[in-house]
């Protein structure tokens, strides 16, 4: 589980939490970080994510959530 305090890091541009055996849902607050340019959460055990996270690529943010446990997603 990612700590909610990450949401206070408003200048955070790169966040790579890949391959850490993290579980739960990817917090929406991370996907709302105003300076985020790259968010990699691949190869964990996340079971869901908020719609805001799925919009990141359309906002120019590199977002990789492959190889998790999110139902209905390819490469899960």
């Amino acid at each position: 589980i990612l700590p909610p305090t990450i949401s206070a890091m408003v200048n955070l541009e790169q966040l790579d939490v890949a391959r850490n055996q993290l579980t739960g849902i990817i917090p929406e607050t991370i996907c709302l970080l105003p300076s985020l340019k790259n968010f990699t959460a691949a190869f964990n055990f996340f079971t869901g994510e908020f719609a805001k996270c799925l919009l990141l690529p359309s906002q120019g943010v590199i977002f990789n959530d492959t190889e998790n446990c999110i139902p209905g997603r390819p490469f899960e």
Side-chain angles (χ1 to χ4, degrees):
I1 297 176
L2 294 170
T5 53
I6 289 177
S7 65
M9 302 174 79
V10 296
N11 294 318
L12 184 68
E13 294 183 0
Q14 308 265 346
L15 179 59
D16 186 345
V17 295
R19 299 182 187 272
N20 282 288
Q21 300 182 355
L22 297 171
T23 62
I25 296 174
I26 297 173
E28 182 178 40
T29 53
I30 291 175
C31 301
L32 296 173
L33 288 169
S35 301
L36 194 63
K37 304 288 183 225
N38 185 323
F39 177 34
T40 302
F43 299 97
N44 283 294
F45 297 100
F46 288 117
T47 56
E49 59 199 351
F50 288 89
K52 296 283 185 189
C53 297
L54 298 175
L55 295 175
L56 288 175
S58 69
Q59 298 166 356
V61 177
I62 297 167
F63 178 54
N64 183 353
D65 65 347
T66 58
E67 300 292 333
N68 277 286
C69 300
I70 302 171
R73 301 291 305 277
F75 308 109
E76 297 300 309

